[in-house]
Amino acid sequence: MYVKSYVARACPLAPSLRYNPFAMRLDELDGILRSTLKISDFNDISLNGVQVACCPEREITKVALAVDACQASIDAAVEEGAQLLFVHHGLFWGQPIAVSGIHYKRVKTLLDADVGLYACHLPLDAHPVLGNNAQMCLSLGMKGYDPFGLYHGQYIGFKGELPFEMDCQEIARLLGFSVEWGLRILPFGKEMVRTVGIISGGAADDVHQAMDEGLDCYITGECSHELYHTLLERGMNMVCGGHYQSEVFGVKAVGRFLEKEYGLETVFIDRKTAL
């Protein structure tokens, strides 16, 4: 096992405060999120951090959180009276994009309402406490987990042992995955699972790492037709919860963190996709 086992040891989340401000400017909140989520440690195609600013002097007291920066999420954030929308999938992905069409409408809605947009992609997958993958480990009752799933030289996911053996259906149930919103189970391995590897989102191909490490089951978001026969022939279980369903965990955890540590009001905006 990897020398560091998360959850079994203390993991500081952010610099401690002498008081709870209950309101802060965007630059202050940006500093907290960058420090907590280790944003600068990741080489990511996503423009992580502030993507659309609100007025520099505006006080942020309420943060909306969503998986996607779609129009529905933006509209809901405005309706909820939030000053900032925090998302996993933002609007800017490593290349110039014209501010026209639906992109124009999304940005204009934010600017007209003076609502900021904050995105955090790979750092939110990989965080050892607040991340999508760590939160799934906790939802499964795992008391310790180790880094797993190298991506561009960085570990994005986690692996470890379940507290007791369970089948793939029970894993899906504990994670809140439903067929209606994208769940697909490929139960080609052991009927009862003990060791798992987890990488949220579109990481189906990383099942090869799980097989190479001898894990009983691999948990991710999206499924892949090309892998079906490989999994069948190698006797491997894979639980694909749906890209969206596998990535609600991190934004919800960030919301709880902001409420508990900084007294900010938060609201989770649930705009499901069936993928």
Side-chain angles (χ1 to χ4, degrees):
M1 296 284 282
Y2 189 75
V3 293
K4 294 181 179 178
S5 184
Y6 295 107
V7 176
R9 64 186 179 86
C11 181
L13 293 180
S16 60
L17 289 184
R18 295 180 181 177
Y19 62 94
N20 264 354
F22 299 105
M24 61 184 72
R25 297 189 311 272
L26 180 59
D27 61 334
E28 295 172 324
L29 184 52
D30 179 36
I32 290 168
L33 291 171
R34 285 187 172 277
S35 173
T36 301
L37 299 173
K38 309 297 182 186
I39 287 178
S40 62
D41 291 353
F42 287 82
N43 179 17
D44 194 352
I45 190 174
S46 168
L47 175 62
N48 293 319
V50 177
Q51 291 198 340
V52 178
C54 56
C55 175
E57 300 305 318
R58 189 173 199 199
E59 286 194 334
I60 295 173
T61 60
K62 186 172 185 178
V63 179
L65 303 104
V67 175
D68 303 303
C70 58
Q71 190 65 47
S73 296
I74 294 169
D75 289 341
V78 173
E79 291 169 7
E80 289 283 352
Q83 297 86 33
L84 181 71
L85 173 60
F86 178 100
V87 298
H88 185 48
H89 302 136
L91 296 179
F92 298 94
W93 293 91
Q95 59 185 3
I97 179 172
V99 183
S100 61
I102 62 172
H103 190 60
Y104 167 83
K105 184 179 179 182
R106 291 169 177 175
V107 173
K108 186 175 188 299
T109 303
L110 291 165
L111 293 175
D112 286 348
D114 197 18
V115 173
L117 177 67
Y118 202 100
C120 189
H121 186 232
L122 291 183
L124 190 59
D125 289 317
H127 194 275
V129 177
L130 300 178
N132 289 314
N133 302 310
Q135 287 290 311
M136 280 193 274
C137 290
L138 295 174
S139 295
L140 291 172
M142 296 164 63
K143 300 192 181 301
Y145 43 85
D146 299 321
F148 165 78
L150 277 174
Y151 179 76
H152 291 178
Q154 296 167 305
Y155 286 104
I156 302 300
F158 295 99
K159 64 179 179 180
E161 290 191 359
L162 300 171
F164 51 85
E165 289 186 345
M166 60 183 77
D167 62 22
C168 292
Q169 291 288 347
E170 180 67 4
I171 289 173
R173 186 190 69 80
L174 289 173
L175 294 174
F177 294 158
S178 69
V179 173
E180 180 183 7
W181 300 109
L183 171 64
R184 297 292 183 272
I185 297 176
L186 302 177
F188 300 145
K190 297 178 181 178
E191 182 179 353
M192 301 303 291
V193 170
R194 189 61 184 263
T195 58
V196 299
I198 305 176
I199 305 178
S200 65
D205 285 343
D206 290 304
V207 71
H208 292 287
Q209 295 186 54
M211 290 188 288
D212 291 344
E213 296 197 27
L215 301 178
D216 297 336
C217 180
Y218 177 61
I219 303 165
T220 189
E222 295 181 17
C223 200
S224 171
H225 168 78
E226 288 78 12
L227 289 171
Y228 184 94
H229 289 288
T230 299
L231 297 173
L232 179 63
E233 292 164 21
R234 290 193 62 175
M236 181 65 179
N237 294 308
M238 187 158 79
V239 176
C240 305
H243 197 128
Y244 180 90
Q245 287 188 128
S246 73
E247 294 192 327
V248 300
F249 297 89
V251 289
K252 287 182 176 181
V254 170
R256 293 190 296 268
F257 164 71
L258 292 176
E259 283 192 354
K260 180 179 179 180
E261 299 296 326
Y262 297 97
L264 296 175
E265 183 180 356
T266 69
V267 59
F268 173 64
I269 296 169
D270 193 10
R271 294 297 181 267
K272 293 182 176 69
T273 72
L275 301 173

